[in-house]
Amino acid sequence: MTDTTATEHSRQDWQSDQEVRWCPGCGDYTILAAVQNFMADLDVKREEVVFVSGIGCASRFPYYMNTYGMHSIHGRAPAIASGLAVARPDLSVWVVTGDGDALSIGGNHLIHTLRRNINIKILLFNNQIYGLTKGQYSPTSEQGKKTTSSPWGSIDFPFNPVSLALGAEATFVARTVDMDRAHTQDMLQQAYEHKGSAFVEIYQNCNVFNDKAFIKLTGRDEREINRIDLEHGKPVVFGPDDQWGVVMEGGTARVVDVSAVGIDKIHVHDATADSPAAAFALSRLNHNPVGPTPVGVFRRRPRTTYETTLQQQIHDSQASRGPGDLARLIASTGTWDVKG
Amino acid sequence: MDPTDNQVETVHTAAIRFAGDSGDGMQVVGARFTDASAIFGNDLSTFPNFPAEIRAPAGTLPGVSSFQVHIADRDILTPGDQPDVLVVMNPAALKANLSDLAPAGTIVANSDAFIDRNLEKAGYDTNPLEDGSLDAYRLLSVPMEELTKTAVEKSGLKGRGVLRSKNFFALGLMAWMFNRPLDPTLEWIDKKFGRDEEVRAANEMAFRAGYHLGETTEMFRHTYAVQPAKLPAGTYTNVTGNQALAWGIIAAGQAARLPVMYASYPITPASDILHELARHRNFGVRTLQAEDEIAAVGAALGASFGGHLGVTGTSGPGVALKSETISLGVMMELPLLVIDVQRGGPSTGLPTKTEQADLLMAMHGRHGEAPLPIVAIASPSDAFETTIEAVRLALKYMTPVMLMSDGYIGTSAEPWRLPDLEQLPDISVRFATETNANGEFLPYLRDEKTLARPWAVPGTAGLEHRIGGLEKEDGTGNVSYNPANHEKMTMLREQKIARIADDIPEIVVDSDEGADVLVIGWGSCYGAILAGVRRVRGRGMKVARVHLRYLNPFPKNLGEIVSGYRKVLVPELNRGHLWRMLRADFLVDAIRYSKVQGQPFKASEIEAKLMETIES
């Protein structure tokens, strides 16, 4: 076992001795490599990094990282990671989850973790299908999707994970795509640097049960006209020669021809805006059925973390009342003596 | 009138029950009477009994709230089978409580509330204060509302607030009747209401007026003296089980030299543990009010993974929700304290009433083979030490532990002799800091004696490892579906828990020479069983008694003990959980004595059942 007191510099150092077992061609391999490369470039010690996961294909992730890790139970990773991060603010705590894990069984924990702004980095691998249980529709599957559990087409209306996270007032919300490793690493970097809960949706291809679900975003021919790269402080434009842009009308985002309205009318993305409303409107552009898809950082807003405030309360309480004295505590409601 | 005219009757024990509408402040005055008695030096035991409804309509039977306190000049074990004095603030309180009153007991009634509307709500055709139906009792009708109004006139308080003080009027009257010291209550009123001078003054005036009414009115010439109890020497305080349990968690953290994380979701009757711990941030205890029960246990387990003492507390329905995560804790072999303050079930059941019907859930309520230690608290004064003991087992054996309490223990109060904190056990742990197998770290390499695995926490360089819910390969902890390995690991987990029997005290039977009936109990039945046993012994009969703190594993000599008596009686507030376990483990034809009324056993019930068993 290597001593890791020095900063790591190679991807290999972050690989565990476990054989990686995902289906050949799974998008998870690409994300794993991106995370390992990203970690290798970071000034962080391996022993101070913890990956916590729930259940699902993505949730095997911690086994393959040569860090501390826990493969827990379905949907509960954010809750477990919350306890760990609150207890140990010195650690870098990451949650790896999937669309079923995070948004179905674990939906409650996800929104409350985001609400509390606990310093956890949540990577949601979204392939819009249940892979581990072999192909049922998921909370992000489009309406009408035919699967083993929805032979007549899914009736459920899907969640948009970015909209959901913004609705929970997450302080950092981003989206990226497994095929674009450079973009993924950039989103990981920004999530890591954010103090508080960071939510990163990663579109991930399941080549067995939902192949090419994101082809419009990744295909050579389509991606240019479908992908919107959000950049803080820049007008939201996309397409060949930035032909199209996004305007805000009554709180709704709408795609327009830039030459028709003029670049001055195009919405300028402000990731740090106090209100998540504009970011939310942007997140609706590609929702049900389809539309041009924004990727990048939707929201990056500073807010005190849960554990910082808790630590402050402990500090203040000790400053004003002194460190806890058990003898005084148990006598605090009044005592009397009985003579022998 | 010269107060020396009073007839003072010295009694050894007395039980007083305050009963009224749930908005009448009966719990408050009950607690104040208790504190004054504790400071006076009586031994005591209390039994708060309040409705589950948020606030049932005023004056109705479901809205009745009561608080019983038993005071004595010797050590007592229960809040008393029957109140000797019943204070009733309205007809519904009388109706709901009269059947419990001791024969020829005293009723102190707020006669102002016995008006037609209230009588009708309580289902009375005629006024029981006037129709002779209470002739078998000593009835004292007091116009408490009118007298309170007059008394608090000078406080400046106006409107509806005036009548709120009537509970303190009733308390003052009882303080006089039982020769309670006034100062503790007056100090409490100052502290509690000091910010609002009018309310403070009104409560004090009402309290004093009640006291003076007793002193000056002829109908109250009869008072009672209960002398201070002869308890073992020491410094005492008055505790509820939930309070002592919370303090036990803090103490356990100190004894273990570990920071504590208490994660919980509010649930009756366990919430007070969260409330108590949340108050004491200066002890460094982190409390987290989770979004649900599952998150609460998850956060506690996450904290344990990080090297903290993870604790979660709840009541039965909450344990049901936590069970999957507790199983994960069993598989990952991490320490975790799970507190179950049991209440009547199933489902929402009787949320404010007590029951012991979660024992088999604690024992078996997980999927797969998932054994864990179970430790039970016997009384409020036992909670502190037993909590520390449960934590000791969790840390030493790297396992979740179930700590069983119940609503009766949690909310009732009794004197507790303060422990010598210098004598707290050292339950500190040693985290793994180095590799343990030829330069490698095997997270599932076990201690030969305890079978516990090493606890290596994140942040420790060189010991990075992954744990999780999938079956572990022996030693490495890697995922393994190997059939033989699964069986081996199942056995190892089982043996680890079984070996705790070597680490807990053997049972010492409290037995009369030649007794052939053994009564065996656990948890909050402690007081009623011991009191029942004393009564049986007082009748010259022989009996043996065992009270279990450890429910899993059982103490090593328990089998020998239960097989050594002709009859084994098992009283429980359930349909026979321990009874079933004893029969299954030891093949003894134990006798079930079950009560499922949401109420604790009475000493008289145990006495009667024991007499029947002995004589049969």
Side-chain angles (χ1 to χ4, degrees), chain A residues 65-128:
Chain A
M65 293 297 296
N66 191 8
T67 63
Y68 283 93
M70 186 197 289
H71 177 215
S72 74
I73 44 182
H74 210 10
R76 317 302 173 196
I80 293 169
S82 289
L84 178 62
V86 169
R88 295 286 307 276
D90 56 312
L91 301 172
S92 177
V93 180
W94 297 71
V95 164
V96 172
T97 182
D99 40 319
D101 194 50
L103 300 174
S104 207
I105 188 166
N108 198 33
H109 306 309
L110 178 70
I111 58 174
H112 288 282
T113 299
L114 297 175
R115 171 175 72 88
R116 295 188 180 105
N117 201 33
I118 296 174
N119 191 24
I120 300 171
K121 314 304 158 197
I122 299 171
L123 310 181
L124 188 152
F125 298 8
N126 182 8
N127 55 20
Q128 300 185 344

Side-chain angles (χ1 to χ4, degrees), chain A residues 284-300:
Chain A
R284 308 309 292 168
L285 280 169
N286 66 318
H287 195 65
N288 208 44
V290 285
T293 303
V295 297
V297 178
F298 285 76
R299 186 165 202 243
R300 186 181 59 226

Side-chain angles (χ1 to χ4, degrees), chain B residues 356-375:
Chain B
Q356 294 182 294
D358 294 348
L359 178 56
L360 289 178
M361 173 169 70
M363 191 72 191
H364 302 295
R366 287 167 298 286
H367 60 284
E369 297 289 345
L372 44 70
I374 304 170
V375 180

Side-chain angles (χ1 to χ4, degrees), chain B residues 201-224:
Chain B
N203 281 313
E204 182 186 328
M205 287 167 176
F207 179 61
R208 286 188 189 276
Y211 190 88
H212 294 144
L213 179 82
E215 210 166 41
T216 51
T217 309
E218 197 154 341
M219 80 174 167
F220 287 102
R221 285 181 59 186
H222 191 90
T223 70
Y224 302 91

Side-chain angles (χ1 to χ4, degrees), chain B residues 326 329-330 333-338 371-373 394 398-402 497:
Chain B
I326 300 171
V330 170
E333 303 192 41
L334 281 172
L336 176 73
L337 183 66
V338 182
L372 44 70
M398 292 288 284
T399 178
V401 170
M402 295 286 295
I497 304 306

Side-chain angles (χ1 to χ4, degrees), chain A residues 159-171:
Chain A
F159 267 143
N160 178 324
V162 167
S163 303
L164 184 88
L166 289 167
E169 295 195 46
T171 54

Side-chain angles (χ1 to χ4, degrees), chain A residues 1 47 67-68 313 334 336-337, chain B residues 235-237 281 459-460 462 466:
Chain A
M1 189 113 324
E47 66 270 17
T67 63
Y68 283 93
Q313 286 188 350
W336 69 96
D337 289 322
Chain B
T235 301
Y236 284 77
T237 190
R281 284 268 195 266
T460 315
R466 276 65 58 191

Side-chain angles (χ1 to χ4, degrees), chain B residues 81-92:
Chain B
D81 290 357
Q82 298 171 310
D84 301 296
V85 176
L86 177 62
V87 180
V88 293
M89 304 305 284
N90 65 16

